[in-house]
Amino acid sequence: MKSSKLLFALSLFVIMCLLVACNSDSKETSTGGSVNKETFTLKYNVSFQPPLWDWDPKYKSTEEFAKLVEERTDGRVKIDLYYANQLAGQVESLDALSRGTFDIQNITPSAWASKIPEGSFAALPYGWMGEEHAAHLLRSTDVGKLYEEALNEYGVKVLSYWYSGATGYLSKQPISSPKDFKGLIFNTTDATQQEYYEKMGAGIAGVPFAEYYEGLLRGTIDTVLFPYNALETYKLAEVVDSITVPGSVMPAFGLVAFSKSSWEKLPEDLQEIIAETALEMEQAGIKGSKELTKLGIEYAESQGLEVVHLTKENYEAFQKLGQELAWDKFAGRSERTLKMTETLYAENEKWLNENPNAQAYFDEYLAD
């Protein structure tokens, strides 16, 4: 009897040792080191439709980003993409993300401006001159730092930005100066912008993006501020007669944001890979953003639309009104927005005086 009990105990001990050994082996790397092999499946909500081209900055911030992260983490991180707000609507997505309902969100900052007023910065008229200037403001000045700080307080981490080409005036009547807005119905949902367009004599409407074609066709609206490439992708070339160059937001940009609660669950090595990959995609997308602008203008020309190039005088007139009626209104929303605006003024002057990209921008887009 005693020998049977002893044999049973010994057998149990051997089994336990084998289980421990197997568990330990499952965490070992090929070099014999011991690391955490836990895997993560992240849900990524995208406010936009799927990208059309593999060079598109949106593609790089979604499809290519997800693919590279999975490869570089050896499959430890898999990212599932949900386009067209499948997991949450544009406004609701901020709270859902901060709660960790899903893990990553791709959106335009102005869509969250009702709760994060600093995000209205993304739509300020004539605030920057090309991709390099926008990237400088977001990555190297207090503009980006203060916006990131505001999101952090809400439980959201800035992962990266992606530049989406020029957003300019697509209109049923040519717009070459502020006075050309008189009597037009202009579409905007941003309260920061409304006074700016009303001062130029425009009426204001609030038609959703998806209804732009119908609104322009029926005359509900006369002019929209929208990406030039929408002339083709939204077929707006069929219902407008002109575009104005340069765009008032050039380039527009999107935000890739991460839930802080989800981020903090990831091991440091995975955080590092994800952050580095996101920044790589941000940089890689700059070329594609410029290509989107070029394609949009070329498509307008091919469809017989009038391409109005602003004179330097009219560009400065638009910008001055924008500063007085949109920038300064944005500044009054909080202490952060005030500092962001002060930085924007200072950095614009510095960019004009010191950076050759500013003159190259004017040479490319303004009238001779």
Side-chain angles (χ1 to χ4, degrees):
M1 181 70 71
K2 288 183 180 181
S3 60
S4 298
K5 288 183 178 179
L6 183 60
L7 182 59
F8 174 78
L10 183 59
S11 300
L12 185 60
F13 176 75
V14 170
I15 291 170
M16 290 177 64
C17 288
L18 287 171
L19 287 173
V20 170
C22 289
N23 187 51
S24 177
D25 288 343
S26 70
K27 294 185 179 182
E28 289 205 358
T29 66
S30 59
T31 58
S34 180
V35 295
N36 187 352
K37 282 290 188 179
E38 185 178 2
T39 60
F40 299 85
T41 299
L42 306 178
K43 293 181 179 179
Y44 187 168
N45 191 49
V46 184
S47 290
F48 313 100
Q49 296 294 332
L52 297 176
W53 309 285
D54 62 5
W55 52 264
D56 186 332
K58 181 168 59 175
Y59 177 88
K60 293 191 176 297
S61 71
T62 53
E63 301 284 346
E64 189 168 345
F65 168 69
K67 178 184 174 184
L68 288 175
V69 166
E70 185 169 359
E71 289 176 357
R72 292 172 179 180
T73 62
D74 295 326
R76 291 170 63 197
V77 176
K78 186 177 185 301
I79 298 175
D80 291 337
L81 295 159
Y82 299 86
Y83 288 101
N85 292 315
Q86 291 180 60
L87 300 182
Q90 287 187 173
V91 176
E92 298 81 4
S93 63
L94 176 61
D95 287 326
L97 185 68
S98 67
R99 290 194 301 266
T101 304
F102 49 86
D103 310 292
I104 313 173
Q105 172 72 39
N106 193 314
I107 198 164
T108 175
S110 56
W112 287 345
S114 60
K115 296 183 177 181
I116 309 287
E118 293 81 359
S120 285
F121 159 77
L124 291 180
Y126 303 98
W128 43 92
M129 294 156 269
E131 283 78 5
E132 289 82 6
H133 190 197
H136 171 71
L137 291 169
L138 289 168
R139 289 302 190 182
S140 303
T141 77
D142 279 341
V143 170
K145 291 174 186 175
L146 291 165
Y147 181 52
E148 183 172 342
E149 184 180 282
L151 283 172
N152 270 327
E153 289 181 3
Y154 212 93
V156 172
K157 171 185 172 60
V158 171
L159 192 61
S160 64
Y161 300 98
W162 60 279
Y163 307 98
S164 53
T167 288
Y169 300 129
L170 316 182
S171 182
K172 298 179 79 67
Q173 296 181 33
I175 295 174
S176 61
S177 72
K179 67 181 181 182
D180 292 327
F181 269 98
K182 188 173 182 178
L184 297 181
I185 303 300
F186 178 74
N187 196 79
T188 181
T189 56
D190 189 337
T192 304
Q193 308 278 330
Q194 186 168 328
E195 187 180 355
Y196 173 53
Y197 290 103
E198 288 178 335
K199 185 72 173 181
M200 292 188 285
I204 302 299
V207 176
F209 295 160
E211 298 175 21
Y212 274 6
Y213 185 98
E214 190 72 15
L216 288 161
L217 177 66
R218 296 185 179 281
T220 307
I221 50 179
D222 302 306
T223 306
V224 297
L225 181 65
F226 215 46
Y228 295 144
N229 60 75
L231 291 167
E232 182 175 7
T233 56
Y234 281 67
K235 302 186 184 302
L236 296 186
E238 298 176 3
V239 289
V240 299
D241 299 303
S242 71
I243 69 170
T244 302
V245 177
S248 70
V249 183
M250 199 152 175
F253 60 87
L255 165 72
V256 180
F258 215 108
S259 167
K260 281 183 67 177
S261 62
S262 298
W263 183 259
E264 289 164 2
K265 293 174 184 176
L266 296 171
E268 285 188 18
D269 63 322
L270 297 184
Q271 289 179 348
E272 185 175 338
I273 291 170
I274 291 170
E276 288 179 353
T277 303
L279 185 57
E280 180 185 329
M281 293 298 94
E282 178 179 320
Q283 293 297 316
I286 287 177
K287 181 180 179 182
S289 178
K290 293 179 179 181
E291 187 66 19
L292 284 172
T293 298
K294 180 182 176 183
L295 285 179
I297 295 172
E298 289 178 349
Y299 187 77
E301 293 171 339
S302 74
Q303 298 302 300
L305 274 62
E306 181 177 356
V307 178
V308 177
H309 288 266
L310 295 178
T311 64
K312 185 72 177 293
E313 180 183 5
N314 284 332
Y315 175 90
E316 290 175 347
F318 271 120
Q319 187 182 53
K320 186 173 186 296
L321 273 175
Q323 290 171 344
E324 294 172 355
L325 301 174
W327 295 24
D328 292 350
K329 186 170 184 177
F330 171 72
R333 299 187 70 177
S334 71
E335 289 185 13
R336 280 201 192 99
T337 59
L338 173 60
K339 190 168 183 180
M340 289 171 76
T341 307
E342 290 172 346
T343 302
L344 185 59
Y345 273 111
E347 290 292 339
N348 261 263
E349 184 176 355
K350 186 177 178 182
W351 191 265
L352 283 168
N353 293 333
E354 299 178 9
N355 199 295
N357 281 321
Q359 189 56 50
Y361 175 81
F362 292 135
D363 290 344
E364 182 171 3
Y365 295 114
L366 293 185
D368 295 333

